[in-house]
Amino acid sequence: MTTLSEALAQAPNPLIASASPDVGGEGVWLDLDTVHLEARHELMVGLDRARRGYPQFLVLLGDSGIGKSHLLTWLSKQDHAAAQGLLVLVRMPPLPDLAQPFRHALRQLLAALCRKEVSAVPSDQAVAFERPIDRLVWEILYTQACDLLDASRVGSYQGPAVLLKMLGPLCLDAGKRRNLAEFAEDAQKVWPQLEPGLRSYLLSLPTENSIDTAARGVLLQYPYTDRRALCTGWLAGEDLSPKDRDKLSAKQVINNESAAKYVLCSLLRTLVALPGLQLGVLYDQAEQQLERLGLP
C-alpha cells in the first residue's frame, strides 16, 4: 500500500513547466503565469511601447510579500529575441548610500551592460558584440563617424582629406550605410589613424559639462582591446590610477554625484537615441527607500 508521502513524492510537479534557472544561476526560480495577470499585461504593454521608441515609467505597488519582486524577475526573463534589436534590462538593487544615487545607478548600469548575454544578441552579431556595451560603444562611434562624413560633405565641418578618404569606405557601401559589425571589424584595424580626426570632431560639438569631453575621449579609446576594461571601469566611476587614466587620456574622474549624473544622463540619452536598442531599469524595494528618506 502506497503512503500519502510516497504518492506526493511520485506525483508530477505542476509548476515544472514554468521553472527556469535563477538569475544568478543558483537554485530554480518558479513561476505560475496565472498570478497577477493584469499587472503582467500592463508591464508587457509598457515594455512593448518602449521597444517602439516611447519611453515609459511604470510603478508597481502592493503590500509586502504580494509578489512585486517576483514580477520584476519575471519581466527580466521575457524573451529578448522578441525585441527589435537589443533589449537591456537592468535590475537596480536598493541604494547602499542615499547620498549617492547617481553613482550607484551608474555602476549598476555599466555592470549590466558589461555582462555577457549571447542569447540576447542577434545571431549575426554574436561574435562581434558579446556584451551590450560592445554594441553600444560601436554604435556611438559609427554614428559619429557618419555624422562627421556628412558634415564635411555639406561644408559645416572641415575634416582632413586623409580622414574623409578613410571614412568613406568604412561607413558606406555603394552609398548605403554598412553593417555595424563590418564597420567595427574594419575600423578597429585602422583606429590609430581614425582616432585623432574623430576626436577633433567630437570636441567641436556642444557639451553640457567638462566631464562630457572626458567621456567622449574615453569612448574613443574603446576600440583598443587592451583598454576596454579601463574604459568601462572609468565610466562606472572606479578609482583608476593616474597611470591608467593617462592611458585613456582622461584627467577627470567620476568621484562625485554631479559627475556621475552627467555621465549617466549622457549614456541614457545615447541608449534611447540608438535604433534597435532598448533599456529597462527595474528599481526594486522602493518602499524601503522611501522609509529611509522619511517620506510617505
Side-chain angles (χ1 to χ4, degrees):
M1 181 177 178
T2 303
T3 65
L4 178 59
S5 298
E6 292 172 339
L8 291 175
Q10 297 172 5
N13 184 349
L15 299 176
I16 197 65
S18 300
S20 60
D22 181 69
V23 174
E26 299 176 0
V28 173
W29 179 79
L30 300 176
D31 182 39
L32 196 60
D33 58 12
T34 56
V35 178
H36 300 314
L37 286 176
E38 184 176 351
R40 291 174 191 252
H41 173 72
E42 292 299 324
L43 289 171
M44 289 306 297
V45 168
L47 187 59
D48 181 63
R49 288 173 178 167
R51 287 169 174 165
R52 288 185 279 115
Y54 301 96
Q56 300 292 301
F57 180 76
L58 300 175
V59 179
L60 185 62
L61 299 175
D63 296 333
S64 178
I66 201 171
K68 300 184 297 297
S69 296
H70 182 92
L71 281 177
L72 290 181
T73 300
W74 164 81
L75 182 63
S76 69
K77 291 176 175 291
Q78 297 313 294
D79 186 10
H80 290 184
Q84 296 299 316
L86 183 62
L87 171 64
V88 180
L89 288 171
V90 183
R91 188 73 173 270
M92 290 287 179
L95 292 175
D97 183 356
L98 294 180
Q100 300 189 52
F102 293 109
R103 297 184 72 182
H104 174 69
L106 185 61
R107 291 192 186 100
Q108 295 299 323
L109 175 61
L110 264 294
L113 291 173
C114 291
R115 190 175 301 121
K116 288 188 178 181
E117 297 181 349
V118 178
S119 61
V121 183
S123 58
D124 62 331
Q125 299 178 1
V127 176
F129 310 119
E130 293 183 332
R131 307 174 302 170
I133 189 70
D134 298 326
R135 176 179 172 180
L136 168 63
V137 175
W138 277 112
E139 283 272 19
I140 295 172
L141 298 176
Y142 188 22
T143 299
Q144 295 301 332
C146 291
D147 288 349
L148 188 163
L149 198 59
D150 290 341
S152 297
R153 287 177 172 176
V154 299
S156 60
Y157 181 76
Q158 299 299 320
V162 175
L163 175 64
L164 300 179
K165 187 176 180 180
M166 294 180 66
L167 283 179
L170 284 174
C171 297
L172 304 173
D173 181 12
K176 297 182 179 180
R177 289 188 59 164
R178 298 181 65 197
N179 177 276
L180 176 63
E182 294 175 352
F183 168 82
E185 181 179 0
D186 291 342
Q188 188 170 329
K189 300 174 184 177
V190 294
W191 198 252
Q193 290 76 46
L194 291 177
E195 182 198 337
L198 193 55
R199 176 187 294 272
S200 177
Y201 174 69
L202 288 177
L203 295 182
S204 72
L205 300 177
T207 61
E208 289 188 36
N209 187 282
S210 58
I211 195 71
D212 287 357
T213 301
R216 293 175 187 181
V218 169
L219 291 176
L220 286 168
Q221 303 302 309
Y222 196 83
Y224 301 108
T225 55
D226 62 332
R227 303 178 195 177
R228 287 180 184 172
L230 294 178
C231 290
T232 54
W234 186 90
L235 290 170
E238 294 181 9
D239 186 17
L240 301 181
S241 67
K243 182 179 179 180
D244 287 337
R245 293 203 306 274
D246 287 341
K247 201 171 184 179
L248 297 177
S249 301
K251 295 181 180 180
Q252 289 185 276
V253 294
I254 307 174
N255 59 358
N256 56 66
E257 276 294 281
S258 178
K261 179 179 69 173
Y262 276 108
V263 174
L264 177 64
C265 291
S266 178
L267 286 174
L268 292 177
R269 283 196 302 269
T270 304
L271 275 167
V272 298
L274 293 175
L277 197 152
Q278 297 85 33
L279 170 71
V281 182
L282 311 178
Y283 287 89
D284 201 357
Q285 308 299 330
E287 61 271 17
Q288 282 89 331
Q289 300 305 320
L290 293 177
E291 290 177 4
R292 293 173 63 187
L293 287 169
L295 300 176

